[in-house]
Amino acid sequence: MKYQPRDFVETSGEFDRYYRWVTDFGFIEAKLELLGVQALIEDYDLARVCDVLLSEGQTETLKLIQGAIRKSAHVLDRDKTELAGQLLGRLLDFEMTDIQGLLEQAKQSKNSLWLRPLRANLERPGEGCLRTLIGHTESVNAVAIAPDGNRAISASFDNTLKIWDTESGTELITLTGHTSSVNAVAIAPDGLTAISAGGNTLKIWDTETGTKVRTLTGHTNRVQAVAIAPNGKTAISGSHDNTLKIWDTETGIELRTLTGHTGWVNAVAIAPDGKRAISASEDNTLKIWDTEIGTEVRTLTGHTSGVEAVAIAPDGKTAISASWDKTLKIWETETGTEVRTLTGHTKSVYAVEIAPDGNTAISASRDKTLKIWDTETGTEVRTLTDYTRRVNAVDLAPDGKTAISASGDNTLKIWDTETDTEVRTLTGHTSLVTAVAIAPDGNTAISASWDETLKIWDTETGTEVITLIGHTSYVSAVAIAPDGLTAISASWDCTLKIWDLLGGKEIASFSGDSGFDCCAVLPDGVTVIAGDASGRVHFLRLEGVSDGR
């Protein structure tokens, strides 16, 4: 049975006792182990329920602990033993007595070898994304948020779609049926139906049950985009066959085909009144269409490379396009006039969405960032950086305060938009070798590779001793402790791993917010320094090492 704090926290004394629980590491660890990370996160909603019983400092303490656990949820779902490291990495800089007490308990809780952060080099609560959603096994190409903001649907190169609970970050349903990459997804205004694009077809889904309703066929090349009209009765798809098609969503019948582009159609957006649509194409142009009669109204020119995405403002009077030329352009839809160009991205821009108030837009780029823009002035408001690979898509919640982005690193992130003479050749790796370290005795070496493995070598004979398997992405660096018994590896899968070199086994793991590019072990044999793709330098401590080592 799921309880609510309000059910039993009725007096100041009871609340004080409950407050001590949720700031006690032992309680947090036990609750995580017993009921999971989401139940633990919900405990801290007590701060809102019983606000009158809280001091300002207590309110802030609970919000920070909850925020740290929420940002670590995707790590803790996978490995609960990382709780101490995650809390230390995110909360060390906060000097509140109760937080420092919690962190001291976390340090004392470990009785085996682990990597203890010496500085707070993970994202703090309130920084970066709110939560990371993990489940897809390949690049996430698109994401759409339901009208109520409580659910989102992602589309992936792994041939599936996933429906997510945006509050808990839980995967609710996986939609299977496509036989190739799913490139786009749109949710109907009632939130009960979604349409996905994959291969040469589109599929209509019941979002409540996850069942496929029907398949729409007619395009002769890959379908890259789909949009649903405000009335939910029609949809428009864009394809690499250079056409758009208008569909009756209730019957699945093709109503008409729109022709005119001389290159792939990459995106389509439908105006709020449903009477017009704008398409974006590889031919460097956008076209405005009359959806009722299927005629081209005008062509928008100005981009110097393919146009990848387009969004229409809530009032229907302006649109914003995103291009491979690294820019976004704001257009007046009635006249087709270019209003201004937004510059700042350093690589192709893949997606753009406009906030409900029409005054703000958010863009996603191959440069691994999202940017928030003031559409009135054309100025960049802020840049969101938390990705190790390109950002493919982004969607905004109806309240405009939350965004969900999709990336080539196989994840989605939820954001609050308001806040680096040959003796012999050793062969065995199947991809690029990124790093090598030699043990103090000179008899052993370890290599790290893009094939996601490390290999231990006998340097005298050149023979491979053992392969270390455990990373799920490129291994970028490796370091050997001075005792020669332990090694640390760094990977783009956002983890550092400790290895027992004698047994060839993984001992422990530490997860960061970004992929790790380098690592080193200091001469003291216990201090580890690692650098990640976001520019952070992590200071950690190997703990659980006996005095005799």
Side-chain angles (χ1 to χ4, degrees):
M1 178 178 177
K2 183 179 177 180
Y3 67 86
Q4 295 294 333
R6 64 169 65 88
D7 294 335
F8 62 92
V9 182
E10 297 177 350
T11 69
S12 178
E14 289 174 328
F15 172 74
D16 287 342
R17 185 165 59 253
Y18 190 79
Y19 178 82
R20 289 196 298 272
W21 287 349
V22 295
T23 55
D24 179 83
F25 183 80
F27 173 85
I28 295 171
E29 186 177 43
K31 183 68 176 281
L32 174 65
E33 186 64 36
L34 185 64
L35 295 177
V37 68
Q38 185 56 30
L40 181 58
I41 290 170
E42 290 173 358
D43 270 355
Y44 294 88
D45 289 332
L46 175 64
R48 289 188 286 272
V49 175
C50 301
D51 194 51
V52 293
L53 300 176
L54 288 165
S55 68
E56 185 177 343
Q58 288 174 325
T59 298
E60 184 65 14
T61 293
L62 294 187
K63 286 182 177 178
L64 288 170
I65 297 172
Q66 183 187 47
I69 295 170
R70 181 183 287 114
K71 288 184 71 66
S72 304
H74 63 294
V75 174
L76 300 177
D77 275 335
R78 183 182 65 235
D79 186 357
K80 294 181 177 64
T81 66
E82 288 207 40
L83 176 63
Q86 291 292 306
L87 291 177
L88 285 159
R90 299 187 192 281
L91 295 174
L92 264 174
D93 283 349
F94 296 98
E95 297 180 355
M96 294 87 151
T97 300
D98 290 336
I99 285 182
Q100 288 302 314
L102 168 67
L103 299 183
E104 185 60 35
Q105 292 172 355
K107 287 191 289 186
Q108 298 301 322
S109 71
K110 290 290 190 177
N111 55 17
S112 60
L113 191 63
W114 69 298
L115 283 167
R116 175 171 69 86
L118 299 178
R119 298 180 183 178
N121 279 305
L122 298 178
E123 282 188 343
R124 289 106 169 126
E127 291 182 342
C129 70
L130 297 173
R131 188 189 292 271
T132 299
L133 311 181
I134 292 180
H136 284 295
T137 58
E138 295 196 50
S139 175
V140 186
N141 298 323
V143 62
I145 302 176
D148 64 7
N150 295 327
R151 293 188 179 193
I153 304 181
S154 55
S156 171
F157 203 81
D158 65 11
N159 303 0
T160 74
L161 299 107
K162 290 181 181 292
I163 302 178
W164 308 86
D165 182 312
T166 58
E167 179 63 26
S168 67
T170 305
E171 178 187 326
L172 301 175
I173 306 172
T174 296
L175 310 181
T176 60
H178 283 290
T179 57
S180 61
S181 172
V182 189
N183 304 312
V185 62
I187 301 176
D190 63 8
L192 301 177
T193 305
I195 304 181
S196 58
N200 297 0
T201 70
L202 298 107
K203 293 184 184 294
I204 302 178
W205 307 86
D206 181 319
T207 59
E208 291 294 307
T209 64
T211 56
K212 181 180 68 178
V213 178
R214 61 179 53 88
T215 299
L216 312 181
T217 60
H219 282 294
T220 59
N221 205 333
R222 186 171 79 179
V223 187
Q224 188 67 20
V226 63
I228 301 175
N231 63 12
K233 295 180 180 180
T234 58
I236 303 179
S237 56
S239 169
H240 283 191
D241 64 11
N242 302 357
T243 74
L244 297 104
K245 290 182 182 290
I246 303 178
W247 307 86
D248 183 314
T249 57
E250 295 180 350
T251 65
I253 295 172
E254 178 186 327
L255 301 177
R256 57 182 58 90
T257 298
L258 311 181
T259 60
H261 280 297
T262 59
W264 297 343
V265 181
N266 295 322
V268 61
I270 301 175
D273 63 9
K275 296 179 180 179
R276 293 194 176 186
I278 304 180
S279 56
S281 172
E282 180 200 30
D283 64 13
N284 302 3
T285 73
L286 299 106
K287 290 183 183 289
I288 302 178
W289 306 87
D290 184 315
T291 60
E292 295 181 325
I293 60 177
T295 58
E296 178 186 328
V297 177
R298 62 179 52 88
T299 298
L300 311 181
T301 60
H303 282 294
T304 58
S305 191
V307 189
E308 183 70 15
V310 62
I312 302 175
D315 63 8
K317 295 179 180 180
T318 58
I320 304 180
S321 55
S323 171
W324 301 343
D325 66 11
K326 308 175 190 177
T327 73
L328 299 105
K329 290 183 182 289
I330 302 178
W331 308 85
E332 186 180 281
T333 57
E334 190 60 35
T335 64
T337 305
E338 178 185 327
V339 179
R340 59 179 55 89
T341 298
L342 311 181
T343 59
H345 283 296
T346 58
K347 293 187 179 181
S348 298
V349 189
Y350 289 145
V352 62
E353 285 292 328
I354 303 174
D357 63 9
N359 298 325
T360 305
I362 186 168
S363 56
S365 170
R366 188 180 177 185
D367 65 11
K368 306 175 188 177
T369 72
L370 297 122
K371 289 183 182 289
I372 299 176
W373 307 87
D374 182 318
T375 59
E376 291 294 311
T377 64
T379 56
E380 178 185 326
V381 178
R382 65 179 61 89
T383 298
L384 308 180
T385 58
D386 198 22
Y387 274 115
T388 58
R389 298 189 186 180
R390 73 187 200 181
V391 190
N392 296 324
V394 65
D395 195 23
L396 280 165
D399 63 7
K401 297 178 181 179
T402 304
I404 302 180
S405 54
S407 170
D409 66 5
N410 307 352
T411 70
L412 298 106
K413 292 183 184 293
I414 302 177
W415 305 85
D416 183 329
T417 60
E418 297 178 321
T419 64
D420 200 343
T421 312
E422 183 180 327
V423 178
R424 61 175 57 88
T425 300
L426 310 182
T427 61
H429 284 295
T430 58
S431 190
L432 180 70
V433 182
T434 55
V436 64
I438 302 174
D441 63 8
N443 297 327
T444 305
I446 306 180
S447 56
S449 171
W450 277 15
D451 65 10
E452 304 177 7
T453 73
L454 298 107
K455 290 181 182 291
I456 301 178
W457 307 87
D458 182 312
T459 58
E460 288 296 309
T461 64
T463 56
E464 176 185 329
V465 178
I466 196 170
T467 298
L468 308 180
I469 299 173
H471 284 296
T472 58
S473 188
Y474 303 153
V475 188
S476 50
V478 63
I480 301 176
D483 62 9
L485 302 176
T486 306
I488 309 292
S489 59
S491 171
W492 286 14
D493 65 8
C494 304
T495 71
L496 298 165
K497 290 184 182 294
I498 309 174
W499 303 90
D500 177 343
L501 298 187
L502 295 181
K505 296 179 180 180
E506 177 184 334
I507 301 173
S509 184
F510 174 81
S511 297
D513 294 316
S514 301
F516 286 99
D517 293 318
C518 56
C519 63
V521 182
L522 268 59
D524 64 9
V526 294
T527 303
V528 176
I529 303 176
D532 69 26
S534 70
R536 293 188 181 91
V537 178
H538 297 251
F539 291 81
L540 306 105
R541 183 177 177 84
L542 270 170
E543 298 206 337
V545 181
S546 66
D547 294 337
R549 289 184 61 182

